[in-house]
Amino acid sequence: MDINQLIQEYHPMIYKICRVYSDEYDFDDLYQEISINLWKGLKRYEGKSKLSTWAYRVALNTALTYQRNNSKHRNKTPLSESMVPASSSDEAAEKEQRVQRLFDAVRQLEKVDRSVMLLYLEEKKYDEIAEITGLSASNVGVKISRAKKQLRKLLEGQI
Amino acid sequence: MKEEDEDLIGLWKSSDQSEKKMEATVSHFGESYFQKQGKDIFQRIRRNMVVELWASAVAAIGFPFIFKDDPFFWWLTGLMVIAVIVTLRIYGSYFRSIRQIHEGSIIESLTKKKDVLGKYIRRMHLTNYIIVPLSVGVGYFRADTDIVLFSEHFYIALAICAVTSAVFIILIRIYIQALYGKYYEQVTEMLNRLE
């Protein structure tokens, strides 16, 4: 698999991770950083874990410790205008708003909890979440339960 | 409760539909897009280390020649060569750690990041405490050795060196904390939350 295929394949994953971990100004930078790390890491990928597990690890590890460059905040279009696709109908627009509220709520969780929640929402099994995070499967369950409680509180009456 | 979860997952998954529209924009990424240098702190540390390696190589070659007429010239040259070899070995292990810093599980990656950052910060502090007073002292006393060393101005010169060194050390400490220290604390906090 070459890098363009990899990025095409994992574009939805990278897109969601960037939406959760970057603000409207450094979305592009984080997207590029993740892509570069996937490209560099792909040469060393040995197949010890599933490719998707490996890709999630690289992308989340990059996002978790990504530092925004404040000087770049000027002269950039906010995420809401540039990266969120325009919706064609009222129904689609409303749905996009609900999606946006969900992402906003996930963004309010602690950085580490965001990763666990993101993997849960991606419908990853506890074993795979454990493999990606390095936590035990039972600990994953506890963390997900706490994060879900917090997320529900944040979303109360919003979606 | 389960229904609520399914709603959330459904909503989350529905963002895939809108993302499909974005995929067209990905196909235009060329090789150059991926060949750019990463901007994260570890790439910055790696770049700093490459510069430091070059600087130490230049110092190793150049520094002993300041004392080329002194009897300890060859001893000094030998010491500098050893210092460069040790530096190369230490940096080699840093480069290997940095290359794979984002691979492995989140806990493994954070542990590695904490380790690399911690060592780098400690080394910067150590360099700060040794190099600053040494540079200020050598600079001051070599300027006019005979006059300064053997006059009543010696203690005044010593005091000036101490104050100048202290100011530089404090400023460099602030710089290290702002650039790397805060980041180290964040990584440690994330790791503590996971463990």
Side-chain angles (χ1 to χ4, degrees):
Chain A
M1 184 184 273
D2 74 10
I3 186 62
N4 274 310
Q5 281 173 303
L6 184 83
I7 300 296
Q8 285 281 0
E9 170 116 15
Y10 290 104
H11 167 69
M13 171 201 80
I14 306 173
Y15 177 87
K16 282 179 197 150
I17 290 175
C18 290
R19 214 168 154 180
V20 163
Y21 280 100
S22 65
D23 65 19
E24 54 199 23
Y25 298 102
D26 51 17
F27 183 97
D28 290 346
D29 287 344
L30 180 57
Y31 195 105
Q32 187 170 27
E33 198 71 31
I34 292 173
S35 307
I36 289 170
N37 286 335
L38 284 172
W39 180 71
K40 285 182 179 167
L42 189 60
K43 296 166 194 165
R44 289 187 294 273
Y45 172 65
E46 293 168 341
K48 284 180 187 167
S49 53
K50 277 198 301 183
L51 185 64
S52 67
T53 303
W54 173 84
Y56 269 103
R57 281 173 160 187
V58 174
L60 285 171
N61 281 327
T62 306
L64 266 170
T65 48
Y66 179 74
Q67 273 191 320
R68 64 175 54 105
N69 186 349
N70 290 320
S71 62
K72 285 199 160 188
H73 280 200
R74 289 177 229 115
N75 306 324
K76 279 217 168 181
T77 317
L79 175 71
S80 50
E81 289 170 31
S82 68
M83 297 308 286
V84 176
S87 304
S88 51
S89 65
D90 286 352
E91 197 186 329
E94 195 197 328
K95 194 171 188 181
E96 184 51 45
Q97 276 181 355
R98 291 175 66 214
V99 169
Q100 183 62 45
R101 280 196 285 269
L102 174 58
F103 274 97
D104 288 344
V106 175
R107 277 167 56 87
Q108 287 179 57
L109 299 174
E110 281 290 328
K111 270 186 165 184
V112 166
D113 294 343
R114 272 182 244 173
S115 289
V116 178
M117 200 62 220
L118 185 142
L119 292 166
Y120 171 76
L121 291 168
E122 288 283 288
E123 289 189 292
K124 297 285 170 200
K125 291 192 174 106
Y126 279 19
D127 286 349
E128 196 176 350
I129 298 177
E131 209 183 326
I132 293 168
T133 56
L135 293 164
S136 65
S138 58
N139 209 346
V140 166
V142 174
K143 291 232 175 273
I144 287 174
S145 164
R146 276 190 208 147
K148 270 198 297 190
K149 221 179 260 178
Q150 213 182 333
L151 192 67
R152 273 197 214 100
K153 214 172 171 185
L154 287 163
L155 286 168
E156 229 164 27
Q158 283 199 51
I159 54 174
Chain B
M1 201 72 105
K2 198 162 182 214
E3 275 174 22
E4 269 182 51
D5 285 359
E6 279 165 9
D7 281 352
L8 285 182
I9 291 168
L11 197 57
W12 180 266
K13 286 223 156 264
S14 75
S15 67
D16 281 352
Q17 299 308 312
S18 52
E19 283 152 22
K20 292 280 177 215
K21 296 175 197 167
M22 298 293 300
E23 283 181 16
T25 63
V26 179
S27 59
H28 74 266
F29 294 155
E31 278 281 291
S32 59
Y33 179 85
F34 302 108
Q35 278 172 344
K36 282 184 184 159
Q37 284 287 328
K39 291 176 196 157
D40 72 13
I41 198 164
F42 298 99
Q43 292 308 318
R44 202 159 65 211
I45 288 175
R46 201 187 68 86
R47 278 194 290 271
N48 288 351
M49 285 178 164
V50 171
V51 173
E52 285 166 20
L53 261 183
W54 276 105
S56 51
V58 169
I61 295 164
F63 183 67
F65 283 94
I66 299 172
F67 307 94
K68 67 175 185 290
D69 297 326
D70 292 321
F72 55 85
F73 170 69
W74 288 108
W75 282 104
L76 193 63
T77 307
L79 271 176
M80 291 309 284
V81 169
I82 292 168
V84 170
I85 291 169
V86 171
T87 311
L88 273 173
R89 285 184 69 89
I90 295 169
Y91 280 33
S93 74
Y94 268 121
F95 289 146
R96 276 192 294 279
S97 293
I98 290 172
R99 201 179 303 137
Q100 296 178 6
I101 209 141
H102 297 300
E103 293 159 37
S105 72
I106 292 175
I107 289 183
E108 283 166 356
S109 173
L110 286 174
T111 307
K112 224 186 270 180
K113 284 170 185 175
K114 190 184 164 190
D115 187 48
V116 167
L117 267 173
K119 280 183 187 162
Y120 189 68
I121 291 169
R122 274 196 297 278
R123 204 173 52 79
M124 280 189 93
H125 279 302
L126 196 68
T127 312
N128 184 21
Y129 295 134
I130 295 170
I131 297 290
V132 170
L134 206 68
S135 312
V136 173
V138 168
Y140 203 95
F141 286 104
R142 268 193 82 84
D144 209 343
T145 312
D146 294 339
I147 297 170
V148 174
L149 281 180
F150 305 107
S151 73
E152 69 271 20
H153 297 305
F154 176 71
Y155 292 108
I156 297 171
L158 208 62
I160 291 171
C161 282
V163 171
T164 314
S165 299
V167 169
F168 272 109
I169 285 171
I170 291 167
L171 288 176
I172 293 171
R173 273 184 69 94
I174 293 169
Y175 168 80
I176 294 169
Q177 175 62 16
L179 217 60
Y180 303 104
K182 279 184 188 165
Y183 192 80
Y184 177 80
E185 285 160 15
Q186 282 170 19
V187 170
T188 308
E189 197 188 316
M190 276 191 264
L191 199 54
N192 290 343
R193 277 190 77 84
L194 273 172
E195 283 175 343

